Amino acid sequence: MCGIVGYIGNKKASPILINGLLRLEYRGYDSAGIATMEDDKIVVMKNKGRVSSLYELEGIDDLKSTMGIAHTRWATHGKPSKENSHPHMDNSNSFAVVHNGIIENYHELKNMLKNEGYKFLSDTDTEVIPNLIHYYYNKDKTDDNNKLLRAVKNACNDLKGSYAIEILSIHNKDKMIVVRKDSPLVIGKGYKENYIASDIPAILSYTKDFYLLDDNEIVELTRDEVKFYNQDLKEIKKQVTSIDWGTASAEKDGYEDFMLKEIFEQPRAIRETVGAKLDNGCIEIEGLDFTKEYLQSVNKIYLVACGTAMHAGLVAKTVFEKLCKIPVEVDIASEFRYRDPLIDEKTLTIYISQSGETADTIAALKLAKSKGAKTLAISNVIGSSITREADYSIYTHAGPEIAVASTKAYTSQVVLLNILGMYFAEKLEIIDKDLMKKLKADILILPSKIEEVLKNTDPICDFAKKVYKEKDMFFLGRGTDYAVSLEGSLKLKEISYIHSESYASGELKHGPIALIENGVTVIATMTNPDLVEKSISNVQEVVTRGAKVLAITSEDIKNDGLNQVIKIPKTNEFISPILSVIPMQLFAYYISKEKGLDVDKPRNLAKSVTVE
Ligand code: M6R
């Protein structure tokens, strides 16, 4: 959570820092601040509220410095307030620090520092860091160029938890130090200038060349140079990674909100994710070289993820089980990591994460790895932490997803998981050739079918206008229609703050139907012809009890007796969620707009959940 930006170069730093923070607001948005090196002192400016509130601060336009650090906060320790916002300074005003992550032993460290005479002005865990650096800096009687580095290293040795930290110090007015452990951080390389960010989109308009930091690396930045050190302060070399995301992909591009733009980007995201994988004969996925023998030895697949990414896993379970005949368990990462799952070297574990930085998903991967299981990461961000931990990594190519509510990442994950399932089945030589041909053709034509769905937004908008004041809604479906309903329900909760539940239609009579009464809204998805009769009976049961139903069905399905129907093009059951989720995404979007809410930055949520 929280966003970090830093700059050292020859341009005025404050506009670059604030601009970067504005692009990172999806990470946290309850307070923001910057610290710049002005002549011989560090000037800190911070405010409660959105990043734009920094413009209200007196003196912000007078900052001249060409180096500084910045932060947008998602509160963990201490309520959102000016005092608790970053940057934090040490007692002597010599060190300014911004921090993402959580310092788990901050109580202990705070007490130690208090005993040494340090005073604290905030409720944050972060404030121990600049004071600890000051403590070690003063203790060190050697006076050489590495004194600040050593103080940072010693302070980090005492920290337990996760952190990405930027440090500015009056003792080194032409240098900045950053360090990371279990929290993302990248360095953007420029000409006679260098950038720092927790996420690539923050600085994408300045550079396409990045150094991706690994855990426990300490970096010293000057205008001309970036030096990397390991935990023992031994210098190490790192490669530059070029990122091919266009700048426009991190802009709204004429759309009112990022979420709407990202919904409409889905045809392109799917096209790019599919890429050339299905072009020549057998499926090829860059980064994978699984053999028939290996896949035959796999006794179980785990799909592990959080939130929307986990919902993509629920859709994909059907693909893997039906095509590959391998049992699949879909697990919530935060549960998986603590429930001592039954895994061994015959288990294939697959982790799905848009950001590649979700703390629970990474921890789940590390656990499985320690038990000997093979690990495969699916991420949207090249070089993200999860991809560097996994044995194998493959990518969705959705482009940067800025809105907190995930849309194009989800549909890209579902399509990539489908291709992965087909790739396994092909390797295992257990799939009928004609069926494979048909599945490939269905995927190749999918982007144009998405375009068709996106042409029919008016009825969804009209329905949203009718029901936006409601307090509760229900989503129903069977098979993959149920899996996608869970995602529809999550979208609605996230951005419209309406409580909603998703049920497998067959479960209705086992309890939830007691909640159906006159006027209740139900979104029923029925795209699978094999299950439709049963689903229609369930829908009739709620209609009889007075429910207002919005049905999402495919064009070949009859829907006698239903008033509000959204038709989607026909496709196979494995990928129909990619089409049927779109009306649900739009439904949540229009309701949120109707209620006047901030679609892209829903309350209490952050885009990447980098703490537990
Ligand atoms: O970056 P990840 O895919 O690992 O994120 C997982 C979830 O935090 C994420 O999908 C979350 O549920 C979204 N806000 C959903 O819209």
Side-chain angles (χ1 to χ4, degrees):
M1 339 279 264
C2 307
I4 281 183
V5 185
Y7 175 73
I8 179 162
N10 298 308
K11 297 182 197 120
K12 188 168 156 165
S14 51
I16 295 173
L17 297 173
I18 297 176
N19 193 20
L21 289 185
L22 285 169
R23 286 165 190 271
L24 281 189
E25 264 200 324
Y26 59 88
R27 267 192 155 260
Y29 28 87
D30 55 48
S31 53
I34 65 173
T36 55
M37 183 72 73
E38 302 290 328
D39 302 322
D40 54 352
K41 66 172 198 290
I42 298 172
V43 174
V44 174
M45 297 222 165
K46 49 191 190 179
N47 214 354
K48 185 179 164 193
R50 293 281 163 98
V51 173
S52 55
S53 72
L54 292 175
Y55 292 126
E56 293 158 17
L57 298 176
E58 206 179 312
I60 195 99
D61 295 330
D62 304 331
L63 298 174
K64 289 189 197 65
S65 171
T66 57
M67 64 188 281
I69 58 178
H71 190 264
T72 175
R73 179 168 185 249
W74 188 91
T76 57
H77 297 66
K79 60 178 195 253
S81 68
K82 185 172 175 179
E83 294 69 39
N84 289 333
S85 57
H86 302 212
H88 290 282
M89 299 283 280
D90 72 304
N91 285 180
S92 72
N93 288 333
S94 313
F95 303 93
V97 161
V98 302
H99 160 230
N100 281 1
I102 288 181
I103 305 304
E104 286 161 6
N105 58 339
Y106 83 102
H107 265 305
E108 195 184 313
L109 294 170
K110 204 166 177 175
N111 287 338
M112 182 282 272
L113 289 164
K114 275 184 179 168
N115 289 338
E116 294 288 330
Y118 287 85
K119 302 232 168 340
F120 288 87
L121 309 173
S122 77
D123 302 320
T124 64
D125 50 342
T126 301
E127 203 184 351
V128 297
I129 304 172
N131 286 305
L132 206 55
I133 295 173
H134 174 265
Y135 171 78
Y136 281 113
Y137 192 88
N138 271 9
K139 255 179 96 172
D140 189 341
K141 298 300 168 211
T142 334
D143 218 358
D144 61 15
N145 274 342
N146 285 343
K147 189 167 175 177
L148 178 59
L149 264 183
R150 278 198 301 278
V152 172
K153 178 205 132 173
N154 288 330
C156 288
N157 284 349
D158 288 352
L159 303 178
K160 288 201 185 114
S162 58
Y163 47 83
I165 305 170
E166 288 180 322
I167 303 127
L168 210 57
S169 165
I170 51 160
H171 298 297
N172 288 75
K173 296 196 190 86
D174 293 312
K175 246 184 217 173
M176 277 161 46
I177 308 283
V178 304
V179 53
R180 82 153 263 177
K181 181 181 164 275
D182 294 331
S183 193
L185 206 61
V186 298
I187 308 292
K189 187 175 173 297
Y191 175 69
K192 291 196 178 296
E193 59 181 4
N194 290 300
Y195 299 83
I196 304 158
S198 49
D199 300 66
I200 289 167
I203 50 177
L204 202 55
S205 53
Y206 305 110
T207 181
K208 299 268 182 292
D209 293 333
F210 293 90
Y211 293 107
L212 310 172
L213 298 193
D214 287 309
D215 278 347
N216 300 311
E217 285 178 351
I218 305 181
V219 188
E220 190 180 61
L221 297 101
T222 61
R223 289 172 174 81
D224 299 313
E225 224 180 354
V226 187
K227 283 188 174 172
F228 301 92
Y229 299 90
N230 68 12
Q231 244 171 326
D232 306 319
L233 293 189
K234 287 223 168 66
E235 200 174 336
I236 48 173
K237 293 279 166 236
K238 287 191 79 80
Q239 297 295 320
V240 170
T241 303
S242 289
I243 302 288
D244 65 357
W245 288 347
T247 319
S249 49
E251 308 283 351
K252 280 192 197 154
D253 226 4
Y255 284 89
E256 237 176 274
D257 312 272
F258 277 111
M259 182 178 175
L260 191 63
K261 177 190 174 224
E262 288 160 6
I263 290 173
F264 277 84
E265 277 178 341
Q266 291 180 104
R268 186 200 51 74
I270 299 287
R271 263 187 206 106
E272 292 189 10
T273 299
V274 175
K277 296 181 183 71
L278 308 182
D279 283 358
N280 324 301
C282 290
I283 299 172
E284 280 172 30
I285 303 179
E286 202 184 322
L288 284 194
D289 55 0
F290 288 170
T291 61
K292 180 177 178 182
E293 292 65 40
Y294 166 66
L295 288 167
Q296 276 174 333
S297 75
V298 172
N299 58 11
K300 193 170 195 176
I301 296 176
Y302 277 97
L303 297 172
V304 185
C306 300
T308 287
M310 191 274 293
H311 291 160
L314 288 173
V315 173
K317 174 181 166 78
T318 313
V319 186
F320 287 102
E321 290 192 338
K322 287 200 176 172
L323 298 187
C324 313
K325 312 290 178 215
I326 303 175
V328 174
E329 235 177 280
V330 182
D331 239 303
I332 297 169
S334 56
E335 292 293 314
F336 179 87
R337 62 183 289 196
Y338 292 121
R339 73 172 175 81
D340 201 7
L342 295 174
I343 40 180
D344 56 31
E345 56 289 346
K346 289 193 172 158
T347 321
L348 172 61
T349 56
I350 302 177
Y351 303 84
I352 313 156
S353 175
Q354 186 283 127
S355 61
E357 303 295 347
T358 300
D360 283 321
T361 313
I362 297 172
L365 185 151
K366 287 182 179 166
L367 171 84
K369 214 170 166 182
S370 73
K371 292 186 173 220
K374 258 206 177 41
T375 57
L376 162 59
I378 296 184
S379 176
N380 194 38
V381 181
I382 294 172
S384 54
S385 303
I386 205 160
T387 64
R388 281 180 284 149
E389 289 287 343
D391 299 320
Y392 298 90
S393 297
I394 59 175
Y395 293 94
T396 50
H397 293 277
E401 192 179 62
I402 307 291
V404 167
S406 181
T407 53
K408 62 177 181 172
Y410 168 79
T411 45
S412 302
Q413 285 158 354
V414 174
V415 83
L416 186 55
L417 284 159
N418 262 274
I419 296 174
L420 189 65
M422 288 155 62
Y423 166 85
F424 286 0
E426 209 169 60
K427 289 266 170 201
L428 285 163
E429 296 177 39
I430 53 169
I431 188 166
D432 175 78
K433 287 217 167 75
D434 289 338
L435 173 61
M436 182 57 102
K437 235 176 161 177
K438 157 100 182 51
L439 295 177
K440 286 181 182 172
D442 283 347
I443 289 183
L444 289 170
I445 201 168
L446 192 58
S448 52
K449 290 188 175 172
I450 300 176
E451 276 155 8
E452 258 179 73
V453 179
L454 288 169
K455 280 183 195 144
N456 191 25
T457 57
D458 288 352
I460 306 163
C461 186
D462 293 345
F463 191 73
K465 282 186 180 153
K466 281 187 203 147
V467 299
Y468 75 97
K469 287 191 180 146
E470 302 215 346
K471 298 267 179 293
D472 284 290
M473 294 193 193
F474 293 88
F475 287 73
L476 299 179
R478 283 174 183 261
T480 55
D481 288 337
Y482 167 52
V484 73
S485 293
L486 287 161
E487 175 56 11
S489 172
L490 176 64
K491 285 290 87 83
L492 186 71
K493 288 183 194 96
E494 279 186 297
I495 59 166
S496 75
Y497 316 151
I498 293 176
H499 169 254
S500 74
E501 298 277 352
S502 172
Y503 282 102
S505 307
E507 273 292 289
L508 263 187
K509 290 202 221 29
H510 298 283
I513 201 162
L515 296 168
I516 304 294
E517 57 183 0
N518 215 18
V520 164
T521 298
V522 173
I523 316 297
T525 306
M526 300 175 285
T527 67
N528 186 339
D530 297 338
L531 301 171
V532 74
E533 278 177 19
K534 292 182 192 311
S535 299
I536 292 211
S537 305
N538 296 131
V539 169
Q540 290 307 344
E541 287 159 9
V542 298
V543 169
T544 308
R545 285 160 181 82
K548 281 192 287 256
V549 175
L550 176 72
I552 302 171
T553 70
S554 61
E555 58 203 1
D556 58 325
I557 284 177
K558 284 216 179 80
N559 44 267
D560 305 338
L562 294 174
N563 297 330
Q564 311 272 350
V565 182
I566 305 294
K567 290 273 183 188
I568 58 166
K570 184 176 160 42
T571 186
N572 71 62
E573 65 168 314
F574 304 134
I575 53 171
S576 71
I578 295 175
L579 298 176
S580 56
V581 79
I582 293 169
M584 298 188 218
Q585 295 168 342
L586 287 164
F587 178 63
Y589 173 83
Y590 290 128
I591 289 196
S592 180
K593 291 300 275 188
E594 207 56 43
K595 291 178 85 170
L597 301 173
D598 188 336
V599 176
D600 288 337
K601 298 179 202 113
R603 72 180 175 207
N604 304 339
L605 296 178
K607 183 70 181 163
S608 327
V609 185
T610 50
V611 294
E612 218 183 318

